[in-house]
Amino acid sequence: MMLALMLCAGPAGAEVLRAGGTGGATALLVHLGRPFTAQSGIAVDVVPSLGSGGSIAAAADGMIDLVVSARPLTAAERARGLDAVATLRTPFVLATSHPAPSGLAAGAVAGMFVAVKPAWPDGAVLRPILRPRTETDTLVLAALFPGMAAALEQARQRPDLPVAATDQDNADLAEHLEGSLTGITLAQLVLEGRALRLVPLDGVTPSLAGFEAGDWRYGRDFILIARRPAAPAVGRFLQFLHSEAGRAALRAGACLDGGA
Protein backbone atom coordinates (compact mmCIF):
# COMPACT_ATOMS: atom_id res chain seq x y z
CA MET A 1 0.00 0.00 0.00
CA MET A 2 1.29 3.47 -0.86
CA LEU A 3 0.68 6.06 1.86
CA ALA A 4 -1.00 9.12 0.38
CA LEU A 5 0.70 12.25 1.75
CA MET A 6 -1.24 15.48 1.64
CA LEU A 7 -0.60 19.09 2.53
CA CYS A 8 -3.34 20.49 4.75
CA ALA A 9 -3.67 23.84 3.02
CA GLY A 10 -4.93 27.03 4.60
CA PRO A 11 -5.68 30.34 2.92
CA ALA A 12 -3.13 31.74 0.46
CA GLY A 13 -0.22 33.23 2.37
CA ALA A 14 -1.28 31.50 5.60
CA GLU A 15 1.15 30.52 8.31
CA VAL A 16 2.59 27.02 7.85
CA LEU A 17 3.49 24.38 10.44
CA ARG A 18 6.23 22.16 9.04
CA ALA A 19 6.23 18.71 10.63
CA GLY A 20 7.84 15.31 10.22
CA GLY A 21 8.89 12.29 12.19
CA THR A 22 8.77 8.54 12.50
CA GLY A 23 7.12 6.82 9.56
CA GLY A 24 4.44 5.28 11.75
CA ALA A 25 3.16 8.76 12.62
CA THR A 26 3.10 10.29 9.12
CA ALA A 27 -0.57 9.44 8.58
CA LEU A 28 -1.33 10.68 12.10
CA LEU A 29 0.18 14.10 11.30
CA VAL A 30 -1.90 14.33 8.13
CA HIS A 31 -5.02 13.20 10.03
CA LEU A 32 -4.55 15.77 12.81
CA GLY A 33 -3.56 18.48 10.36
CA ARG A 34 -6.94 18.59 8.63
CA PRO A 35 -9.09 19.69 11.62
CA PHE A 36 -6.25 21.84 12.96
CA THR A 37 -6.04 23.75 9.68
CA ALA A 38 -9.82 24.07 9.52
CA GLN A 39 -9.85 25.56 13.02
CA SER A 40 -6.73 27.74 12.90
CA GLY A 41 -6.11 28.54 9.23
CA ILE A 42 -2.53 27.32 9.70
CA ALA A 43 -1.46 24.91 6.96
CA VAL A 44 0.36 21.72 7.96
CA ASP A 45 3.20 20.65 5.67
CA VAL A 46 4.07 17.01 6.48
CA VAL A 47 7.56 16.03 5.30
CA PRO A 48 7.70 12.24 4.77
CA SER A 49 10.51 9.70 5.16
CA LEU A 50 12.63 11.62 7.67
CA GLY A 51 12.43 9.13 10.55
CA SER A 52 12.87 10.13 14.17
CA GLY A 53 16.59 10.93 13.99
CA GLY A 54 16.36 12.77 10.69
CA SER A 55 13.41 14.84 11.88
CA ILE A 56 15.12 15.74 15.13
CA ALA A 57 18.20 16.88 13.21
CA ALA A 58 16.00 18.88 10.82
CA ALA A 59 14.25 20.58 13.74
CA ALA A 60 17.58 21.45 15.37
CA ASP A 61 18.67 23.02 12.07
CA GLY A 62 15.45 25.03 11.83
CA MET A 63 14.17 23.14 8.79
CA ILE A 64 10.96 21.88 10.43
CA ASP A 65 8.95 23.11 13.40
CA LEU A 66 7.56 19.94 14.96
CA VAL A 67 8.77 16.36 15.27
CA VAL A 68 6.78 13.26 16.16
CA SER A 69 9.51 10.97 17.43
CA ALA A 70 9.43 7.27 18.30
CA ARG A 71 12.14 7.81 20.91
CA PRO A 72 13.12 10.35 23.58
CA LEU A 73 15.67 13.06 22.93
CA THR A 74 19.29 12.35 23.77
CA ALA A 75 21.27 14.76 25.94
CA ALA A 76 23.16 15.94 22.86
CA GLU A 77 19.89 16.68 21.05
CA ARG A 78 18.51 18.60 24.03
CA ALA A 79 21.75 20.59 24.06
CA ARG A 80 20.95 21.70 20.49
CA GLY A 81 17.92 23.57 21.80
CA LEU A 82 15.18 20.94 21.51
CA ASP A 83 12.48 20.01 24.04
CA ALA A 84 9.80 17.36 24.30
CA VAL A 85 6.54 19.32 24.37
CA ALA A 86 3.87 16.61 24.46
CA THR A 87 3.34 12.86 24.33
CA LEU A 88 0.71 10.89 22.43
CA ARG A 89 -0.06 7.25 23.27
CA THR A 90 -1.39 4.50 21.04
CA PRO A 91 -1.83 0.76 21.54
CA PHE A 92 1.02 -1.39 20.28
CA VAL A 93 -0.44 -4.49 18.66
CA LEU A 94 0.45 -7.67 16.85
CA ALA A 95 -1.08 -7.87 13.39
CA THR A 96 -1.29 -10.44 10.63
CA SER A 97 -2.52 -11.16 7.12
CA HIS A 98 -4.19 -14.33 8.46
CA PRO A 99 -7.89 -13.87 7.70
CA ALA A 100 -9.07 -15.06 11.13
CA PRO A 101 -6.19 -15.29 13.59
CA SER A 102 -6.72 -17.12 16.85
CA GLY A 103 -5.42 -15.44 19.95
CA LEU A 104 -1.97 -16.11 21.36
CA ALA A 105 -0.65 -16.26 24.88
CA ALA A 106 1.68 -13.32 25.54
CA GLY A 107 4.22 -15.72 27.02
CA ALA A 108 4.29 -17.68 23.77
CA VAL A 109 4.99 -14.78 21.40
CA ALA A 110 8.79 -14.99 21.69
CA GLY A 111 8.68 -18.66 20.76
CA MET A 112 6.97 -17.81 17.48
CA PHE A 113 10.09 -15.90 16.40
CA VAL A 114 12.49 -18.80 17.02
CA ALA A 115 10.43 -21.88 16.15
CA VAL A 116 11.68 -23.68 13.04
CA LYS A 117 8.15 -24.00 11.61
CA PRO A 118 5.89 -21.72 13.63
CA ALA A 119 2.15 -22.12 13.08
CA TRP A 120 -1.09 -20.45 14.08
CA PRO A 121 -3.37 -22.46 16.38
CA ASP A 122 -5.38 -23.59 13.33
CA GLY A 123 -2.22 -25.02 11.75
CA ALA A 124 -1.73 -22.26 9.17
CA VAL A 125 1.86 -21.18 8.57
CA LEU A 126 3.04 -18.26 10.74
CA ARG A 127 5.74 -15.98 9.35
CA PRO A 128 7.31 -13.45 11.74
CA ILE A 129 8.69 -10.17 10.40
CA LEU A 130 11.79 -8.63 11.97
CA ARG A 131 12.76 -4.97 12.20
CA PRO A 132 16.32 -3.55 12.29
CA ARG A 133 18.09 -4.08 15.60
CA THR A 134 18.07 -0.37 16.53
CA GLU A 135 14.50 0.30 15.33
CA THR A 136 12.21 1.47 18.14
CA ASP A 137 9.64 -1.25 17.44
CA THR A 138 12.35 -3.86 18.07
CA LEU A 139 13.06 -2.30 21.46
CA VAL A 140 9.33 -2.13 22.23
CA LEU A 141 8.82 -5.81 21.38
CA ALA A 142 11.85 -6.78 23.45
CA ALA A 143 10.49 -4.90 26.46
CA LEU A 144 6.87 -6.07 26.24
CA PHE A 145 7.09 -9.84 25.87
CA PRO A 146 8.95 -12.36 28.08
CA GLY A 147 12.10 -13.72 26.45
CA MET A 148 11.63 -11.57 23.35
CA ALA A 149 15.01 -9.81 23.42
CA ALA A 150 16.89 -13.11 23.22
CA ALA A 151 14.39 -14.52 20.72
CA LEU A 152 14.88 -11.59 18.35
CA GLU A 153 18.65 -11.97 18.46
CA GLN A 154 18.33 -15.69 17.74
CA ALA A 155 15.86 -15.03 14.92
CA ARG A 156 18.38 -12.72 13.22
CA GLN A 157 20.54 -15.75 12.51
CA ARG A 158 17.82 -17.15 10.22
CA PRO A 159 18.13 -16.05 6.58
CA ASP A 160 14.51 -17.01 5.86
CA LEU A 161 12.98 -14.32 8.09
CA PRO A 162 12.37 -10.97 6.34
CA VAL A 163 13.55 -7.68 7.85
CA ALA A 164 11.38 -4.60 7.21
CA ALA A 165 13.48 -1.42 7.22
CA THR A 166 10.72 1.17 7.76
CA ASP A 167 7.28 1.33 9.33
CA GLN A 168 5.68 1.43 5.89
CA ASP A 169 7.83 -1.48 4.65
CA ASN A 170 6.74 -3.44 7.71
CA ALA A 171 3.03 -2.85 7.05
CA ASP A 172 3.37 -3.53 3.32
CA LEU A 173 5.17 -6.82 3.95
CA ALA A 174 2.69 -7.86 6.63
CA GLU A 175 -0.19 -7.30 4.21
CA HIS A 176 1.31 -9.40 1.43
CA LEU A 177 3.13 -12.17 3.33
CA GLU A 178 0.87 -15.16 4.01
CA GLY A 179 0.48 -15.83 7.74
CA SER A 180 2.56 -12.78 8.70
CA LEU A 181 3.09 -11.70 12.30
CA THR A 182 4.47 -8.27 13.13
CA GLY A 183 4.31 -5.48 15.68
CA ILE A 184 2.67 -2.21 14.65
CA THR A 185 0.87 0.66 16.32
CA LEU A 186 -2.91 0.73 16.16
CA ALA A 187 -2.66 4.34 14.96
CA GLN A 188 -0.67 3.37 11.87
CA LEU A 189 -2.87 0.36 11.13
CA VAL A 190 -6.08 2.41 11.37
CA LEU A 191 -4.99 5.62 9.68
CA GLU A 192 -3.23 3.93 6.77
CA GLY A 193 -6.23 1.65 6.26
CA ARG A 194 -4.10 -1.46 6.41
CA ALA A 195 -5.59 -4.82 5.40
CA LEU A 196 -4.38 -6.50 8.56
CA ARG A 197 -6.12 -8.31 11.41
CA LEU A 198 -5.45 -7.76 15.09
CA VAL A 199 -4.12 -10.66 17.16
CA PRO A 200 -5.75 -11.08 20.61
CA LEU A 201 -3.33 -11.72 23.48
CA ASP A 202 -4.33 -13.65 26.59
CA GLY A 203 -7.95 -13.40 25.50
CA VAL A 204 -7.94 -9.61 25.02
CA THR A 205 -8.49 -8.03 21.59
CA PRO A 206 -6.62 -4.72 21.28
CA SER A 207 -8.63 -1.50 21.12
CA LEU A 208 -8.20 2.11 22.14
CA ALA A 209 -10.96 1.76 24.77
CA GLY A 210 -9.28 -1.33 26.20
CA PHE A 211 -5.94 0.45 26.27
CA GLU A 212 -7.44 3.43 28.06
CA ALA A 213 -9.12 1.12 30.59
CA GLY A 214 -5.92 -0.82 31.20
CA ASP A 215 -7.25 -4.09 29.75
CA TRP A 216 -4.80 -3.91 26.84
CA ARG A 217 -1.38 -3.45 28.47
CA TYR A 218 0.81 -2.82 25.44
CA GLY A 219 1.43 0.76 24.28
CA ARG A 220 3.75 2.95 22.30
CA ASP A 221 4.57 6.63 22.84
CA PHE A 222 4.91 9.26 20.14
CA ILE A 223 6.94 12.17 21.53
CA LEU A 224 6.32 15.65 20.12
CA ILE A 225 9.52 17.70 19.95
CA ALA A 226 10.15 21.35 19.07
CA ARG A 227 12.90 23.95 19.25
CA ARG A 228 13.27 26.47 22.08
CA PRO A 229 11.45 28.81 21.78
CA ALA A 230 8.77 26.97 19.84
CA ALA A 231 7.28 28.57 16.74
CA PRO A 232 3.86 30.19 17.37
CA ALA A 233 2.26 27.58 15.11
CA VAL A 234 3.56 24.83 17.41
CA GLY A 235 1.87 26.47 20.38
CA ARG A 236 -1.39 26.68 18.46
CA PHE A 237 -1.11 23.02 17.49
CA LEU A 238 -0.55 21.97 21.11
CA GLN A 239 -3.57 24.01 22.18
CA PHE A 240 -5.59 22.22 19.51
CA LEU A 241 -4.48 18.79 20.76
CA HIS A 242 -5.67 19.63 24.27
CA SER A 243 -9.01 20.96 23.03
CA GLU A 244 -12.21 18.94 22.70
CA ALA A 245 -11.82 18.87 18.91
CA GLY A 246 -8.20 17.80 19.21
CA ARG A 247 -8.92 14.99 21.62
CA ALA A 248 -11.71 13.78 19.34
CA ALA A 249 -9.30 13.77 16.38
CA LEU A 250 -6.74 11.87 18.43
CA ARG A 251 -9.28 9.23 19.41
CA ALA A 252 -10.39 8.84 15.80
CA GLY A 253 -6.73 8.15 15.04
CA ALA A 254 -6.44 5.52 17.82
CA CYS A 255 -4.39 7.84 20.04
CA LEU A 256 -4.66 9.39 23.48
CA ASP A 257 -3.18 12.61 24.85
CA GLY A 258 -0.36 11.41 27.07
CA GLY A 259 0.44 14.85 28.50
CA ALA A 260 3.65 16.85 28.40
Side-chain angles (χ1 to χ4, degrees):
M1 168 184 169
M2 181 65 68
L3 178 63
L5 180 67
M6 292 179 288
L7 175 69
C8 303
E15 188 176 1
V16 176
L17 174 67
R18 297 164 299 168
T22 182
T26 299
L28 177 62
L29 280 169
V30 173
H31 167 75
L32 295 173
R34 295 189 190 103
F36 171 67
T37 298
Q39 182 185 92
S40 67
I42 299 172
V44 179
D45 184 1
V46 181
V47 183
S49 305
L50 291 177
S52 295
S55 297
I56 289 170
D61 290 338
M63 302 302 294
I64 63 174
D65 307 304
L66 183 69
V67 176
V68 182
S69 175
R71 62 167 177 82
L73 288 166
T74 65
E77 289 165 344
R78 289 194 298 272
R80 293 194 67 190
L82 299 174
D83 281 327
V85 294
T87 300
L88 307 179
R89 304 211 71 210
T90 184
F92 188 79
V93 303
L94 295 180
T96 178
S97 62
H98 190 300
S102 300
L104 300 174
V109 173
M112 299 297 182
F113 283 76
V114 295
V116 176
K117 293 183 178 180
W120 291 98
D122 64 0
V125 64
L126 186 153
R127 293 185 172 93
I129 297 171
L130 299 174
R131 303 297 309 278
R133 183 176 278 108
T134 58
E135 170 64 34
T136 302
D137 279 3
T138 297
L139 305 178
V140 171
L141 276 171
L144 292 182
F145 298 106
M148 182 58 84
L152 290 174
E153 284 303 310
Q154 185 177 340
R156 292 186 191 283
Q157 309 309 311
R158 295 177 51 184
D160 58 311
L161 292 187
V163 179
T166 70
D167 291 336
Q168 275 67 47
D169 291 340
N170 180 50
D172 288 342
L173 186 57
E175 284 183 322
H176 295 103
L177 184 67
E178 182 183 1
S180 61
L181 178 68
T182 195
I184 189 171
T185 66
L186 188 59
Q188 181 185 356
L189 189 152
V190 168
L191 291 173
E192 293 184 8
R194 292 293 178 170
L196 294 168
R197 266 64 66 186
L198 299 171
V199 180
L201 291 176
D202 295 332
V204 180
T205 299
S207 67
L208 185 64
F211 181 57
E212 190 172 24
D215 298 325
W216 183 260
R217 299 180 288 114
Y218 311 101
R220 165 86 177 270
D221 289 352
F222 290 135
I223 302 167
L224 274 60
I225 294 166
R227 294 188 310 279
R228 295 189 299 267
V234 172
R236 293 284 299 279
F237 187 72
L238 295 177
Q239 290 174 359
F240 166 75
L241 291 182
H242 298 317
S243 70
E244 183 176 348
R247 289 193 174 96
L250 284 171
R251 294 189 71 85
C255 281
L256 298 172
D257 181 354

